[in-house]
Amino acid sequence: MSISWTADGTQLAGAGGNGTLVFGQVVDLSLEDGHMRCCLEDDKRMVVQDILSETTDELEFRDKVVKTSLGFGHLVVCTSTQCHVYGTSHLNTPHIFDLKDTVTMILQCARHFLIMDNASGIQLYTYEGRQLCNPRFQGLRTELLNPQMVSLSTDVVAVLDQQASGGVVRLFDTAQGRPVGEPLSHNLEVTEISLSQAGGTAERQLSFIDRNRDLYIVSVAKRTVAKLGSMVDSAFWHDTTGMLSAMVDQKLTLWYYPNEIYGDKQLLLKTKYTKTEVDFGKAAKIVLFTNSKCLVRRGDGALVTVATSPYPLMLYALLGAGEWDKATRLCRFIRDPSIWATLAALAMAAKELNCAEVAFAAIEEVDKLQFVLKVRSKRGDPGVCREGARRSTGRRLC
């Protein structure tokens, strides 16, 4: 006849029509991140498995476990009175600090993590247990927030303002909790927000989904809004690169370099990959995008692991090290137009015209190739390889 959950979301009580009461609690909660897997065996005991080394550790807690999160090389466990922060490489020496109220949310990024409760609101801590800041704004009601309404990166916290009309996203600095510019406004209700994890403040992107299920991204620094797709159920950024994944029309879609939407939308389409082999059904949510895999929770609650191409990750690693020549050789070996297009977009963003020329020639973008050659000739670059580009495209360029 009726069901009610506790404030921490770990226990429920139900009343039947014959006068009986039923009590239950959440068990077998499982988390995965890379080679680590954590499973909550009962309300005070957790088992951590390292798949690579095939080792198993048991963690015992004094109080009931309320919330837990695994990511970025750290395990954060919040009980009813304390917060335990473990490094996945050394589980024997956690950082522990006391809590004032029951934690309702945990979010992580590479440098720090966020916890939220109804008494202290949003709090940011380092993985050593030192509090950084406590972002606040007028009208903040933490009981109305869920993980789709709050996002964390290394330098910015984004919070969806539920009291404002339409969609208003407030941005705060992670160092001192001060507002970052004016709040971002959208004419429709926003249902989900997510911050990119790679790069610095200048490259930071915010993606959001509105009531019409349209996906937008906006530059945090420049506040330039652009629409990426429609019929989107969920979106999730890669944890170490600028790639973006989304559930578009019940299919997994990846943008290898979504920032190209501010430059060339035709080139952006060539950096897009859609996995058509798997249909995830309605209301599927992406819960993890790391390395070369996505973890998707279907509408029926089942978790599905989807393998993605490892080559974009390799490309980002080479470009991060400044190995543009090796990145070009990688693309020649793969012969994938989407990887070539990603290399072209990244090369133009970094003003690496030599690499951009080769990439545009490989995907037969003649007009863009002519533009690159013209820019190089005006700059007095002696290495204009027109003959090599002509052989790659089979066309006369000039």
Side-chain angles (χ1 to χ4, degrees), residues 118-187:
N118 294 332
S120 303
I122 299 172
Q123 307 162 72
L124 268 69
Y125 288 86
T126 66
Y127 287 113
E128 289 76 31
R130 178 175 61 88
Q131 184 172 1
L132 292 174
C133 62
N134 185 202
R136 293 177 180 271
F137 60 89
Q138 186 176 3
L140 174 63
R141 296 184 60 184
T142 56
E143 66 271 12
L144 299 179
L145 296 178
N146 59 44
Q148 284 74 43
M149 300 177 182
V150 184
S151 186
L152 175 67
S153 68
T154 55
D155 47 19
V156 177
V157 181
V159 183
L160 186 60
D161 190 350
Q162 290 292 299
Q163 302 299 313
S165 59
V168 176
V169 180
R170 299 182 180 271
L171 303 174
F172 300 91
D173 178 33
T174 57
Q176 298 178 344
R178 296 177 179 176
V180 179
E182 294 295 325
L184 175 66
S185 299
H186 188 60
N187 56 353

Side-chain angles (χ1 to χ4, degrees), residues 62-83:
R62 183 184 63 187
D63 303 303
K64 181 182 66 174
V65 175
V66 176
K67 289 289 181 180
T68 181
S69 177
L70 175 65
F72 300 95
H74 292 83
L75 171 66
V76 182
V77 181
C78 290
T79 67
S80 56
T81 59
Q82 292 180 322
C83 180

